[in-house]
Amino acid sequence: MARLRYRLEGEGPGVVLLNGLFQRLESWDPVLPHLSGYTLLRYDMRGQGESEAPHGPYTPGVHAEDLLQLLEGLGLEKPVLVGLSNGGVVALTAALQAPDRFRGLVLCCTTPYLDAALRAKAESWLWALRAGGTPLRLRVALPWVFGKGFLNAHPELLTPEGLAPLLAQAPTEAAQESLLLGFLSLGDLRPRLASLALPARVLYGEEDLLFPREYAAALAQALGARLEALPAGHAAPLEAPLAFAQAVRQFLEEVYA
C-alpha cells in the first residue's frame, strides 16, 4: 500500500469520496456542506496530491487494494463508495474484489469499459503531457473536463491566470503518466457486474463530452441501477455541487433507511 494522505470527518454512516484522475481531496470541498450527517472519508490516491507516488502504472486494481487497506486501517466498515470518473472505476473494482466490504455505490461520470473513442481521448492527454508537460495537458483536457455552461460562465479558465490553480494542484508529470497508463489498462467490467448485488446509483453530466450518457447507461444496465442526469459536464461535483450532493444524499437516505 502506498502512503496516502486522507481526511476523515463528520459523524454518522460511512461514505468514501473517490477522486477523479488528477484531483486532490480538496476537490470535494464544494460538496461537503451538503453531506452533513455522515462520516466522510476523502483521500489522495497514489500519485495524487500529497500521497506517495511510487513507480506506476496505477491500475484500477492497485487503487482498489490501496482503498481496501486504508479502510481496514481506519476501521471504517461497510461504507458507501461515491466515485467520480476514475474514482468510479476504482469503486467498481474494489466492490468486485470485496463486495461484502461495502454498503452501496454512487458512480458519477464514469464508465465500466474503454472503447476506441474513450481510449483516443485519454491517449490524447498522454501525448499532450509527453509533448508539452502539464500546461499542454491541461489545455487539451479543458473542453473535455468542464461542460459548456460552466466554461461560458468561467471564461477565465481559458487564461494562464485562470489555469494557474489547476496547474498548481496537478500531480507531478511522472505521476500523471502513471495515472493515465493505469486508467488505460481498464478492461470490460460489464460481464462481472451483473453478479454484484449492491445497491447502486449511476449519475451522468448532461454536458459531459468525455464520458457521455451512453457509458453511464451501459453501466446502469449492467448493475440494474437507476440512471440520473446532472446539469453539468464531466466535473459534476465542482460544476453543480448542490445537484450532485442532493442525488448522493437521496441514495444514502434510501440505503441507510
Side-chain angles (χ1 to χ4, degrees):
M1 173 181 169
R3 180 180 51 81
L4 303 175
R5 171 195 181 221
Y6 68 89
R7 288 184 188 169
L8 186 64
E9 50 207 329
E11 295 182 357
V15 179
V16 183
L17 302 173
L18 298 165
N19 301 343
L21 194 63
F22 299 129
Q23 290 182 323
R24 300 164 58 100
L25 60 82
E26 288 86 359
S27 66
W28 297 102
D29 284 351
V31 172
L32 260 60
H34 310 297
L35 292 179
S36 59
Y38 296 94
T39 298
L40 302 175
L41 172 62
R42 299 179 285 164
Y43 71 100
D44 296 337
M45 295 184 189
R46 64 170 62 203
Q48 297 178 344
E50 298 176 25
S51 287
E52 189 176 6
H55 182 69
Y58 308 149
T59 66
V62 167
H63 284 307
E65 187 57 37
D66 283 345
L67 170 60
L68 291 168
Q69 292 189 36
L70 178 61
L71 293 176
E72 183 175 354
L74 294 174
L76 189 61
E77 297 183 359
K78 292 188 77 71
V80 169
L81 300 181
V82 179
L84 172 68
S85 190
N86 189 60
V89 173
V90 175
L92 286 169
T93 304
L96 286 168
Q97 288 184 12
D100 58 323
R101 299 282 297 276
F102 305 107
R103 188 67 176 264
L105 304 170
V106 180
L107 307 161
C108 183
C109 300
T110 191
T111 180
Y113 68 97
L114 289 182
D115 58 12
L118 283 183
R119 186 170 295 278
K121 294 172 187 178
E123 286 185 352
S124 75
W125 294 10
L126 182 61
W127 287 111
L129 179 70
R130 289 171 173 172
T134 302
L136 182 57
R137 197 271 302 164
L138 279 171
R139 284 288 184 185
V140 169
L142 196 63
W144 297 104
V145 171
F146 297 109
K148 178 182 69 174
F150 189 80
L151 283 173
N152 285 336
H154 297 277
E156 69 276 5
L157 287 172
L158 278 66
T159 68
E161 294 76 17
L163 275 181
L166 295 178
L167 187 63
Q169 296 168 18
T172 67
E173 291 177 4
Q176 289 177 61
E177 179 155 341
S178 291
L179 288 160
L180 278 166
L181 290 172
F183 173 73
L184 285 164
S185 74
L186 173 64
D188 191 345
L189 301 179
R190 288 173 293 177
R192 302 169 57 196
L193 293 179
S195 63
L196 190 60
L198 283 173
R201 183 70 45 83
V202 178
L203 311 175
Y204 71 96
E206 293 174 316
E207 296 184 356
D208 188 350
L209 298 180
L210 189 62
F211 296 162
R213 183 186 185 278
E214 65 185 87
Y215 301 98
L219 177 56
Q221 182 178 18
L223 288 168
R226 176 176 159 186
L227 180 64
E228 185 173 340
L230 296 174
H234 187 67
L238 290 171
E239 297 180 51
L242 179 57
F244 173 84
Q246 287 175 336
V248 172
R249 179 175 282 278
Q250 182 184 55
F251 177 80
L252 293 175
E253 290 173 352
E254 293 173 3
V255 167
Y256 286 119

